[in-house]
Amino acid sequence: LEHDGMNMIHKGWRDPILRYTSLGLAYGLLFPFLTTLLEIKRMQLHFNPATFVQIQASHSMFWLIDLTPLLLGVVSYLVGKREKDLAQLNAHLEQTISKRTEELVHAVQELKTENEERLKAERIISRAKREWEAIFDSVAVIILTTDLQGTIIRCNQAAIENLQTTYQAVIRQPLKQIL
C-alpha cells in the first residue's frame, strides 16, 4: 500500500500543473517568511512564533506580501496548464507526423513498385519494337508506311535498295513523289 502511495505521488509530480503550482506556492511562502524574519532581525527581536505573528499583524505591508504564495501559485498553475497543453499538443503532433510518415513510406513503396512495372513494360515494348524493325527490314518486298495525308513515315531496307536512295531522302516525302 505504501508503494502504491509513492507511485501516485510520483505520477502526480509528473503532471506539470501540480508540479508548477506546488513549486509556485512553495517559493511564494518564502517571501512572507523571509521578509518577516528580516523585520524581526531589523527590530532586534527574538524569533519565536508569537513575535512572528505580532510582526505580521502590526504591519499592513506584510498583508500584501502574504498574498505572494497565492499570486505565485495562480501564475504557476497557469504556466503548468500551458506546459501540459503544449505537451498534449506535442504528443498529438508526434502521432500525426508518425502516421503521415507511415503513409508516405507506403506511398513511396507503391511508386517504386509502379515504376518497376513501367520499366519492365518499357523493356518489353522496346524489345518488341526492335524485333518488329528487324522483321520489317528483313522482308524483301518494298514496304512504305504513310500517315493519313500520304506522307511516308517509315520504309524498309528493301525500299531503300530498290529505289536506290537513302532513308532520309524517303522519309517525310509524299508517296506520289517517290513512286
Side-chain angles (χ1 to χ4, degrees):
L1 186 65
E2 184 177 315
H3 182 67
D4 289 340
M6 292 303 287
N7 275 343
M8 286 180 60
I9 290 171
H10 184 67
K11 285 180 182 178
W13 193 248
R14 281 192 240 159
D15 180 16
I17 295 174
L18 178 63
R19 187 174 62 244
Y20 277 86
T21 304
S22 299
L23 289 173
L25 287 171
Y27 286 129
L29 286 172
L30 289 176
F31 284 101
F33 184 75
L34 290 176
T35 54
T36 305
L37 283 178
L38 288 172
E39 184 64 17
I40 290 172
K41 184 174 179 150
R42 187 187 68 79
M43 295 177 72
Q44 298 178 347
L45 301 171
H46 294 297
F47 178 77
N48 61 45
T51 307
F52 193 88
V53 171
Q54 179 187 359
I55 294 292
Q56 283 284 318
S58 64
H59 294 81
S60 59
M61 182 57 91
F62 282 100
W63 299 345
L64 291 173
I65 293 172
D66 289 345
L67 292 174
T68 305
L70 180 62
L71 179 63
L72 280 177
V74 169
V75 169
S76 297
Y77 166 82
L78 294 173
V79 170
K81 182 163 178 14
R82 183 171 178 263
E83 284 293 317
K84 186 173 185 173
D85 291 345
L86 286 174
Q88 289 173 342
L89 180 60
N90 187 38
H92 175 71
L93 289 175
E94 287 289 335
Q95 186 179 27
T96 302
I97 288 170
S98 177
K99 181 181 175 188
R100 186 67 181 129
T101 300
E102 189 177 304
E103 290 171 358
L104 289 173
V105 167
H106 180 71
V108 166
Q109 186 58 44
E110 284 180 356
L111 289 173
K112 282 182 179 179
T113 302
E114 184 179 314
N115 192 38
E116 289 170 2
E117 290 171 0
R118 284 185 182 168
L119 289 173
K120 185 178 177 181
E122 283 179 18
R123 286 191 297 272
I124 291 169
I125 291 169
S126 179
R127 187 179 74 229
K129 180 182 181 277
R130 285 191 308 273
E131 289 173 359
W132 179 83
E133 288 173 345
I135 292 169
F136 188 78
D137 285 335
S138 67
V139 174
V141 177
I142 295 175
I143 300 175
L144 299 169
T145 307
T146 64
D147 61 13
L148 293 175
Q149 289 77 33
T151 304
I152 298 172
I153 56 173
R154 178 84 169 95
C155 68
N156 67 350
Q157 189 62 37
I160 300 296
E161 292 170 4
N162 285 317
L163 296 172
Q164 298 176 351
T165 186
T166 65
Y167 182 80
Q168 288 77 18
V170 174
I171 299 303
R172 290 191 288 282
Q173 298 300 320
L175 181 61
K176 291 178 184 176
Q177 182 180 337
I178 299 295
L179 296 179

